[in-house]
Amino acid sequence: MKFTKFCREIFCKSREKGAVNSELLARVKGCFDQESRREEGVEPGTCPDSAPMNQALDVLDSRQAASQQPVRRYDGSMTDEPSHSASLCYRTYAANSSIASHIHATPSLTVVLGGGYEETIGGRVAVQDCRSALICPEGLPHAQRFWAHGARKIIVTPAADLLDYLVTTLPFRAAPATRSTPIQKLAARIDAERRTNDAFSRGAIAGLIWQVAAEMGRDLAGASVPTSVIVRRACAVIDAVQGQVISVAALCRVIDCHPATLTRAFRRELGCTPGEYQRRSRVQKAADMLKATRLPIAQVAAGCGFCDQAHLARSFHAVLGCSPSEYRKRA
C-alpha cells in the first residue's frame, strides 16, 4: 500500500502544480494502476520501475523553478541554494590549475572553505586561503592561480538586502578582501552545515554568511585602503562646483564611494572632513573675491555658497582668524 499511496500522491501533486506532461502523468498513473491490481491479486508481478516517479518529481521541480519557487538539491560538487539573503554556489578547483582574467556580470562574496590560491584583481595580487573572505564587484577583471591542494569555495550572489549592506559598509568597488581566524571558524561552520544538509541548514548558512559580512566590516574598518585617488576625485568635484555646497552623500554618489571611506581618507590625508574641506575652499574663494573685487560682502557670501553675510563671517573667522572686512582692509 505504501507504493500505491506514493504513486497517488505523485499523480495528484502533478495535477495540482499544473504539470502538463500528459505522457509522463499517464506513465505514473499506469504504475499506480498496475501496482493496485497486483496488490489486489489481479495481476501478480514485481514492483514496477521507480523511474517514472523520479521523472514526475523532476517535472514538479521544473514547474516550481519556472514559477520562481525553486526546489533545490545539493549534488556534492556545485549547487545553487536559496537563502533569505543570497544564492550560494559551492565550487571546487583542481590542484595547480588557473583561471585566466575574466569578469562577472553580478557581484559576489566568496568564502574560502579549504585550499588556497593567488588572485590578481584591482591591480594587486592577494593570497586567499581558508581564513579569507573577499568581494568581487561586477565587471572587475580578475584571474586566479590555485595551489597544490586546489581550493574549495562558497560563492555568494547577494540578494538586495545583503548587497545593500556590503555596498554601504565596505569599500565595495575596491574589491576588498580580509583574512582572519573568526572568518576561518565561520567558513568551517558553513562547510559543516553544507555537509549536514538537513531542513535547518539553509537558514543556518544564511545567518553565517551575514556573520562573514559583519566580520569583513570589522576587519576593514581600520584597514588602510588605496584612497588617494578617492581624495583627488572628491577634491576635483568640490573645486568644479565653484564654491557651491555639495553634500557628502551627493559627493560619494559622484565618485562611487561610501561616506565613511571618504571621511576616513580625508582625515588621514588632509586632516579634515569633506565638509571642513569644502568650508575652507569656500572661504578661500571668498577671500580671493574680497581681494580682487569691490563687491559687497553679502554678495560675496551668496556667490560662495554661504547662507548670508553672518555665515561667511563665522566661517571666515574659523579658517583665517579674522572677519571678511578686516581681511579686505589688509589686502
Side-chain angles (χ1 to χ4, degrees):
M1 289 302 293
K2 289 183 179 179
F3 179 84
T4 301
K5 182 179 179 182
F6 182 67
C7 283
R8 183 186 293 112
E9 288 175 355
I10 292 295
F11 184 71
C12 293
K13 284 182 180 178
S14 299
R15 291 189 300 180
E16 290 170 2
K17 293 291 182 181
V20 294
N21 191 329
S22 56
E23 180 183 355
L24 175 58
L25 297 184
R27 290 178 64 187
V28 175
K29 185 176 183 298
C31 288
F32 163 66
D33 293 339
Q34 179 184 5
E35 183 64 12
S36 295
R37 289 193 298 271
R38 188 189 69 81
E39 290 177 349
E40 291 168 2
V42 176
E43 184 180 337
T46 59
C47 180
D49 186 10
S50 61
M53 293 180 289
N54 294 330
Q55 293 178 27
L57 287 173
D58 290 340
V59 167
L60 296 180
D61 285 356
S62 355
R63 295 289 297 180
Q64 286 176 314
S67 63
Q68 296 184 340
Q69 296 177 354
V71 174
R72 311 283 189 173
R73 291 176 179 172
Y74 181 70
D75 65 4
S77 60
M78 180 175 176
T79 186
D80 288 325
E81 199 167 9
S83 75
H84 297 296
S85 299
S87 64
L88 310 181
C89 178
Y90 174 71
R91 289 183 179 172
T92 60
Y93 300 85
N96 300 314
S97 62
S98 62
I99 300 177
S101 181
H102 61 286
I103 62 173
H104 296 288
T106 56
S108 63
L109 163 64
T110 295
V111 182
V112 182
L113 302 178
Y117 60 99
E118 291 181 356
E119 181 165 43
T120 303
I121 185 170
R124 67 184 190 274
V125 178
V127 171
Q128 315 294 1
D129 59 21
C130 62
R131 298 173 293 165
S132 298
L134 53 142
I135 297 290
C136 182
E138 71 277 12
L140 185 64
H142 61 289
Q144 293 140 350
R145 185 167 62 85
F146 298 95
W147 295 348
H149 297 291
R152 296 183 299 116
K153 302 192 293 187
I154 285 280
I155 301 175
V156 182
T157 302
D161 52 355
L162 181 55
L163 180 60
D164 180 69
Y165 178 84
L166 294 171
V167 169
T168 55
T169 58
L170 302 176
F172 191 84
R173 295 296 173 185
T178 184
R179 299 164 71 202
S180 69
T181 299
I183 286 177
Q184 181 180 18
K185 292 179 179 178
L186 289 169
R189 291 175 62 189
I190 291 172
D191 207 14
E193 287 293 345
R194 180 188 63 81
R195 295 177 187 281
T196 300
N197 197 28
D198 62 13
F200 308 100
S201 293
R202 187 175 67 182
I205 291 175
L208 290 167
I209 292 297
W210 273 96
Q211 290 185 58
V212 168
E215 286 297 334
M216 288 191 72
R218 289 189 178 121
D219 290 346
L220 295 169
S224 176
V225 294
T227 54
S228 294
V229 173
I230 293 174
V231 171
R232 287 198 299 270
R233 288 177 180 173
C235 291
V237 172
I238 291 171
D239 295 340
V241 298
Q242 299 182 346
Q244 300 303 309
V245 179
I246 179 172
S247 68
V248 174
L251 182 60
C252 289
R253 285 196 296 271
V254 171
I255 65 173
D256 194 16
C257 173
H258 188 268
T261 302
L262 183 64
T263 300
R264 286 196 299 269
F266 263 76
R267 287 189 181 278
R268 180 170 58 249
E269 298 181 25
L270 301 180
C272 64
T273 66
E276 291 168 344
Y277 179 87
Q278 285 194 71
R279 184 176 67 175
R280 294 177 186 177
S281 297
R282 295 200 307 272
V283 167
Q284 187 58 55
K285 182 181 179 181
D288 293 342
M289 291 180 68
L290 288 170
K291 185 177 181 179
T293 71
R294 305 310 297 173
L295 291 173
I297 293 177
Q299 189 173 341
V300 171
C304 295
F306 294 97
C307 298
D308 50 33
Q309 184 173 334
H311 184 201
L312 171 61
R314 290 192 300 272
S315 298
F316 217 90
H317 193 277
V319 174
L320 299 178
C322 65
S323 67
S325 57
E326 290 172 342
Y327 181 85
R328 174 169 271 177
K329 289 177 183 178
R330 295 173 186 174

